[in-house]
Amino acid sequence: MRLIADEIGEKVENDPRIQKLADNVESFMQELEEIGCFFKDWNFSIGLVDFPAIIDGKEVFLCWRTDEDDIMYYHEMETGFAGRKLIPPEELTD
């Protein structure tokens, strides 16, 4: 997207390529919400997504970043990313 923006300069809002990319992003975000996930990285730097789950009988969010191969962390609803903990091994299934 950056290359396209450099190419078209200040006419970004009117370029159909940029609009198509923006529409795609909006569609992906809507799809995540429809399946109950929450995209938490509005500046698109780490690709953070939260998934609702139950661990030890408590509602939590599984927490995944795009630079992680697997979903390995969770956090309590009120702690957010700063409260990430490893998912207990007994909660993991193959």
Side-chain angles (χ1 to χ4, degrees):
M1 219 160 48
R2 195 173 309 251
L3 293 174
I4 295 171
D6 289 344
E7 176 186 321
I8 59 178
E10 294 183 17
K11 300 175 188 169
V12 172
E13 290 84 21
N14 298 326
D15 190 279
R17 295 171 293 179
I18 296 296
Q19 187 58 51
K20 173 91 171 107
L21 290 170
D23 290 346
N24 286 345
V25 168
E26 172 112 9
S27 175
F28 297 144
M29 303 288 254
Q30 184 176 357
E31 185 177 345
L32 278 175
E33 287 180 23
E34 286 173 2
I35 61 173
C37 300
F38 304 94
F39 188 75
K40 300 288 189 164
D41 181 27
W42 299 110
N43 63 1
F44 295 94
S45 62
I46 60 173
L48 185 64
V49 179
D50 284 348
F51 306 81
I54 305 285
I55 292 182
D56 291 331
K58 294 173 65 178
E59 289 186 38
V60 299
F61 284 122
L62 301 181
C63 185
W64 175 75
R65 290 173 39 156
T66 57
D67 63 348
E68 298 170 342
D69 291 333
D70 297 307
I71 301 170
M72 302 179 307
Y73 298 93
Y74 78 101
H75 59 79
E76 295 179 13
M77 300 286 212
E78 57 281 344
T79 62
F81 183 79
R84 281 181 19 138
K85 304 173 197 171
L86 279 172
I87 298 171
E90 62 272 10
E91 298 287 339
L92 299 172
T93 59
D94 292 330

